[in-house]
Structure formats: C-alpha cells, structure tokens
Amino acid sequence: MCKEEKWYVSIHLMEVRGKCGLLSSKKFLLKAVEWSNMDTEKPMVQTDWQWGERMIRTLDDMIQAADLATGSIPQISGQQNFWMIRSTDGIIYSEYVEKGFIGIGWNVLTEDVLNQYEEKAYYEELLKSHKYTDKASGAVLSKCRRFVNEIQCGDIGIIVGKTEVAFALIGKYFELSTEETTPEYELEINSQIEAGKYPGDSCPYRKRREITVISRTELDHVPLPIYKCLLSNRHSLSSMSKYADSILSCCYDLCYYENRLILKYHVKQEKDINPVDFSQFVLSIAELVAEDDRQLVGKYNLNSEGDVVLFLANNGQSAVDFLKNYMVPILLASFIMFGGKGFGFEFPSMIDKMKGIVTDFIFRKENRRLKAAEVQKAEAEARGAAARAEQAEIETKLKRIELEREMARSRAEVLVDNLARVSVPLQIVPPDSKILNLAELYEAPKKDKT
C-alpha cells in the first residue's frame, strides 16, 4: 500500500471512530490493522452512513431487496418425484457424490433390453442365464424400469451412505459400456462385496444418471420420518414422494413447493436449550411472517442441535406475488438476526434501523389510512370555516392513527429485541447464501433492484 493510500485509510478510520463511537480502543486498533493491510483493489467495507443509495434504509428498500431475492428461491414443481438410491451399503457412496452420478445394477438389463419385451418370463430366463441369483426377478425388473424410464430430470434423490446422506437433483440417463460394467464383472464385484473384500474404487453399474448434489448431512441428523424409512427400507431404489416436505427441508433453507413456502432455521446450540428463548424465537418469527395464524404450521426436530421448519400456506395468490409479499418479513427476520454478521462485523445501527422498518411493516395498512386522512385534512383546510367540524373529526382520526403507530412501534421494538437476543444463545444459522445473500442484497444499488 502506498503512502497516499495509507493516509486515506487513516483518515477514513478516524472518521469512522468519530461517528460511531462504539468500538473499544483495542477493537479499533485491530480493525485499523486489518483495514490497513487489506487488498486496495477490493472495495472497502463501509458503514451505514457512507452507503448513500447503496443502503437499505426504508421499507421500500426492503421491498425492492425482496423482489430481487425472489428469483433465487427454488420453486419445486408438484410434478417432481423423490427417490431413495442406495449405494451398495455405502461402499460406492463417495464415488456417487464426488463424481456426480448414481447407478443401479443388473447390467444385463440395458435400456434397449428393458424396452424390447413385456413378458416377465423372458427376463427371468435372461437373468438366470447370466447367473444372477435374485429370487424376485419381477422386483428387479420394476426397479430397473423405474430407474431408466420413470425417474425424470429434475426429480430429487436421496443417496444413502454408511453415515451420511446426500440430496441431489437427478439428471439425464446414460450407460457406461466398459470392461468394468459387464454383467460378468458386476457379479465378480458382488461376490467381493459379500466377502467383505471389495476396495470400492470403481462403480460396476452400467445404468447411470447424472446428479447435482444440493446438500449433505449426517445420517442421524435427517428428519425422523426419513430416518425411519432409511432404516426399514432396504431396497436399492424406492419412491420417497410422500416425504417431500421433509426432504425439501434437508435440501433448502427456503423453497416453494405445492402452494406453500418451506422455511428452515437451524439451531446449532448443542447444550440444553432455554424453553423461553425457543418460545420467543418461534413466536417472533410467527408474528413477523404470518398475517393469519392459520397460514403457518411448523415441525421441530430439536435434539440440541436441530431444525425448526415452518410451512406457510398460499391461499390463492400467484406464486410470484406470494413470494414477493412474504420475502419482506423473511428478509427482515434475517437482517435482524444476521445483518451485520453477513459483512464480517456488526453494524452499530443495524438493530435500530430494523426497528424502524419493522414498525413501518407492521403499520403498512394503517399507513394508507393515515395518508388518506392527511389528504382529507388538507382539503378541509382549503375550504375554510365551512369545514371546521370536518377538520376536527379528521384531527381526532389522525390522533387515533398516530396512537396506533406508537403501539406498532412498541410492538416492533419488543419483536426485534427478542429476535436479536434469542438468536445468539440458540446459535441460529444464517440462511444459505446461494438463496439469500444478505450482503449482496444490502449492497445492491437501487438501479439494479428492478
């Protein structure tokens, strides 16, 4: 860094310290060292009084940020199906996940062969002639046809390993024809697996599908309904569509599926959880997000740590309008809990700013009444003495509305303080930045928020 650049950083830091007055000397010196050693090619992290038009200051700004964020929310079609794919007792799980594919056995049953005949007897004889020893040849045929023909691009798969589970978007079908995917080689590998001697270095299955991994989690961290199913169902390929909600909550922190929004918060606290903190967290989120209590239901998988999953029903709006409307309170909750953390250090005025915006959000309907009353007052004043009685009535209405605003402000202050406070001991995790990038939304110029 040249002398002039160091001088600029020094002046900048003096200005910051003078205006916020909240950093201790030790923290200030550490921050000074950090900033003075930074790469000057990168923009400096700036505090709220410097952002100008690059700042969420009002409810309108938050609405624009919500519009911008809506496009990043995964929208899962009700036509998509969900599948469980095992990985030969977890032996080839790593290869599936790392190389981006899944496979299924019985290599003699290729796509051409599966679509050539209908008679089960033909396939029973074919499997027997290649020394496949499966007793339920009908089940084998059904699984292979499902894998080839029923699974569609865009379906979601659960790939089961020994101690881990991966969730992935399933892609196109293909076949790999090599010396290591012949029926004979597959049977040899099967015998090695049964003897516990297979090194697990190459998948022997010819029939394959591409996958894109969405998320991975420990087996004992998956929701209980899925966990029970994984333990009891030992089939190599099974439909899991009835567990769609639970699966999607493992895939995404936020997504839209079949006319409802699925919203997940992960509690990282491993020790005992204070029930008051947890209750205030759920109540604050519910009060902020749901206008109608009947819209909101939840599932809680808390064994310290665990997930809080909320489902918000759409009662007739288009998906886009619904998402834009409810992204505002979801973003408000995120900025309250994680706002400064998304930028590397806390913004001193973030909580106060959120209190003002939450007040406007709670008061948004009454605000229209306030503006209408102010217009009526101005019109009455213009008519003079003949409208004095009307003016007095309007003044009374304005005072009542202003009292309602004070109540909204008090409610907002309690809500914001509670949500900001309890998110710390509960160790609530910020949302996936690929879906809600708070820093990007906070920094985005207004001209880009269209």
Side-chain angles (χ1 to χ4, degrees), residues 176-227:
L176 185 67
S177 300
T178 68
E179 293 181 357
E180 294 186 346
T181 59
T182 61
E184 295 74 20
Y185 184 81
E186 178 192 7
L187 291 172
E188 180 185 335
I189 296 301
N190 287 345
S191 63
Q192 290 181 22
I193 291 171
E194 290 176 4
K197 298 179 180 180
Y198 179 58
D201 54 357
S202 179
C203 172
Y205 302 145
R206 181 172 183 174
K207 298 184 290 296
R208 302 184 176 196
R209 280 189 174 274
E210 297 174 351
I211 61 168
T212 301
V213 174
I214 302 169
S215 66
R216 298 165 66 170
T217 188
E218 296 297 318
L219 181 59
D220 55 4
H221 286 175
V222 300
L224 188 58
I226 298 178
Y227 185 76

Side-chain angles (χ1 to χ4, degrees), residues 80-118:
Q80 286 177 260
N81 290 311
F82 300 78
W83 307 91
M84 178 178 66
I85 302 99
R86 293 199 174 273
S87 54
T88 316
D89 292 328
I91 294 172
I92 50 180
Y93 171 81
S94 294
E95 186 175 6
Y96 280 172
V97 171
E98 291 168 9
K99 294 185 180 179
F101 75 93
I102 51 175
I104 195 168
W106 305 284
N107 289 348
V108 68
L109 300 177
T110 62
E111 181 180 19
D112 288 341
V113 171
L114 287 168
N115 294 330
Q116 191 171 5
Y117 299 100
E118 289 294 331

Side-chain angles (χ1 to χ4, degrees), residues 222-238:
V222 300
L224 188 58
I226 298 178
Y227 185 76
K228 287 181 177 179
C229 182
L230 299 185
L231 289 182
S232 61
N233 184 342
R234 306 305 301 175
H235 294 293
S236 54
L237 176 66
S238 303

Side-chain angles (χ1 to χ4, degrees), residues 320-331:
V320 173
D321 289 341
F322 175 81
L323 290 174
K324 285 183 177 180
N325 288 340
Y326 285 95
M327 275 308 299
V328 175
I330 289 169
L331 280 182

Side-chain angles (χ1 to χ4, degrees), residues 127-301:
L127 289 168
K128 188 184 296 184
S129 67
H130 282 81
K131 300 182 180 180
Y132 286 91
T133 59
D134 302 272
K135 295 180 181 179
S137 56
V140 168
L141 185 62
S142 175
K143 290 173 189 176
C144 290
R145 281 181 168 156
R146 269 188 163 184
F147 189 86
V148 174
N149 297 324
E150 288 188 35
I151 294 179
Q152 301 297 313
C153 293
D155 285 356
I156 292 178
I158 309 174
I159 300 99
V160 186
K162 289 182 178 179
T163 60
E164 188 180 83
V165 177
F167 300 86
L169 286 172
I170 302 176
K172 67 181 182 180
Y173 174 81
F174 68 100
E175 292 182 2
L176 185 67
S177 300
T178 68
E179 293 181 357
E180 294 186 346
T181 59
T182 61
E184 295 74 20
Y185 184 81
E186 178 192 7
L187 291 172
E188 180 185 335
I189 296 301
N190 287 345
S191 63
Q192 290 181 22
I193 291 171
E194 290 176 4
K197 298 179 180 180
Y198 179 58
D201 54 357
S202 179
C203 172
Y205 302 145
R206 181 172 183 174
K207 298 184 290 296
R208 302 184 176 196
R209 280 189 174 274
E210 297 174 351
I211 61 168
T212 301
V213 174
I214 302 169
S215 66
R216 298 165 66 170
T217 188
E218 296 297 318
L219 181 59
D220 55 4
H221 286 175
V222 300
L224 188 58
I226 298 178
Y227 185 76
K228 287 181 177 179
C229 182
L230 299 185
L231 289 182
S232 61
N233 184 342
R234 306 305 301 175
H235 294 293
S236 54
L237 176 66
S238 303
S239 172
M240 294 283 285
S241 293
K242 70 178 181 179
Y243 302 106
D245 286 345
S246 296
I247 293 170
L248 289 171
S249 72
C250 294
C251 295
Y252 305 107
D253 296 337
L254 183 65
C255 68
Y256 185 78
Y257 174 67
E258 286 198 329
N259 294 321
R260 62 190 180 277
L261 192 67
I262 302 176
L263 173 62
K264 181 181 75 176
Y265 294 100
H266 190 71
V267 177
K268 289 287 288 182
Q269 178 57 263
E270 296 180 354
K271 298 179 182 178
D272 293 341
I273 290 175
N274 185 312
V276 175
D277 288 346
F278 180 72
S279 299
Q280 286 189 340
F281 168 69
V282 175
L283 181 60
S284 297
I285 291 292
E287 185 177 1
L288 189 58
V289 171
E291 292 184 349
D292 184 344
D293 292 342
R294 293 170 297 179
Q295 284 184 295
L296 190 68
V297 295
K299 293 181 180 178
Y300 315 104
N301 178 28

